[in-house]
Amino acid sequence: MEKRQAPQHLSRILESWEKAVLSEGHPLYMRAYVWLKLVTVWGVLRGEDSTWGDPRSLTYDPLLGLNGQLLQSKTTGPAKRVRIRTVRISPNAYLVSPDWLPLGLKLWENVDPDRQNFLVLPSEGYGGFLSLGAEQQDRAALTRLALYSAGFGLDGDEVPDQEELLGWSSRFWTEHSSRSTVVSMARALHVPKEITDRLGWWAVGNSASED
């Protein structure tokens, strides 16, 4: 059976998510979660990778951008050659404003830095963070909510005109869409495959290093 690639996110979605991170019209948790979705897009990460980010490793530099480490992923871990993966997001990774990257990182500062899972569950009303780590089904539900409430240019309490259509659209994209987005865009721009295969370790071969 042919493996079906997840649909890439539209540039409109990425633009709307950037605006949501910067907007106080959205609840604090949703702004922070949307920031994490953007990090998975620009970092060419899998949805589950957001669970294993090391909170203490995340730093931001105006010239270098965001730097951090994944303690575990599909291509890392105790039984894999690469045990810790470095993630870097350029300060030039934006469609609307570069401010989304440093501002979104600050939104996570009130969460316990020693937590086991980077992604934790929201408090009631999405106004804050709980200490419980999010599971796979939680991430899927949060991603649908991020698409529904912040992925199409809506702000805060706006009620969509086509609510049923918006609900269907928010289920079209999946957790794997984040990883396929930048790679698909790069291939559409005729970036050579040997380069796109290195984005987010899309294809990891014998040349993979531990750097």
Side-chain angles (χ1 to χ4, degrees):
M1 179 181 296
E2 183 180 354
K3 186 176 181 181
R4 179 174 177 266
Q5 182 174 313
Q8 71 180 66
H9 287 305
L10 303 176
S11 59
R12 171 61 184 272
I13 291 175
L14 304 184
E15 291 173 1
S16 296
W17 279 351
E18 283 187 34
K19 293 176 182 178
V21 173
L22 301 172
S23 171
E24 295 184 358
H26 290 278
L28 172 64
Y29 182 92
M30 288 310 302
R31 294 171 65 197
Y33 184 75
V34 165
W35 175 85
L36 189 59
K37 293 300 297 181
L38 285 168
V39 167
T40 62
V41 169
W42 290 110
V44 195
L45 303 176
R46 296 173 174 84
E48 62 264 30
D49 290 341
S50 61
T51 298
W52 301 111
D54 179 5
R56 290 193 176 277
S57 73
L58 288 176
T59 59
Y60 179 81
D61 182 276
L63 296 178
L64 302 177
L66 183 75
N67 185 77
Q69 292 182 331
L70 293 182
L71 301 181
Q72 180 176 328
S73 77
K74 190 175 180 180
T75 57
T76 68
K80 306 287 185 177
R81 182 182 176 188
V82 182
R83 298 193 177 185
I84 295 178
R85 177 180 162 189
T86 298
V87 177
R88 295 186 179 94
I89 310 293
S90 168
N92 296 319
Y94 69 93
L95 297 178
V96 177
S97 170
D99 294 338
W100 76 267
L101 190 55
L103 190 150
L105 180 58
K106 287 184 176 295
L107 297 176
W108 288 94
E109 288 182 350
N110 292 326
V111 191
D112 182 6
D114 295 319
R115 60 193 183 277
Q116 182 176 1
N117 291 7
F118 182 88
L119 180 59
V120 295
L121 293 174
S123 61
E124 186 176 357
Y126 300 93
F129 306 85
L130 298 179
S131 59
L132 296 174
E135 301 293 339
Q136 179 179 355
Q137 65 273 17
D138 301 316
R139 291 197 314 271
L142 286 166
T143 295
R144 288 195 296 270
L145 181 59
L147 285 162
Y148 181 86
S149 64
F152 301 97
L154 302 179
D155 191 10
D157 296 327
E158 288 187 43
V159 178
D161 294 329
Q162 302 291 334
E163 188 169 358
E164 183 177 353
L165 177 60
L166 191 57
W168 178 88
S169 299
S170 67
R171 293 190 294 272
F172 175 72
W173 289 277
T174 71
E175 283 290 275
H176 297 290
S177 294
S178 295
R179 186 166 183 258
S180 69
T181 297
V182 170
V183 172
S184 297
M185 290 178 174
R187 289 176 178 169
L189 293 172
H190 304 292
V191 175
K193 187 175 184 297
E194 59 267 24
I195 295 178
T196 59
D197 280 350
R198 301 290 294 181
L199 294 174
W201 293 37
W202 188 267
V204 180
N206 294 331
S207 61
S209 72
E210 297 189 14
D211 296 333

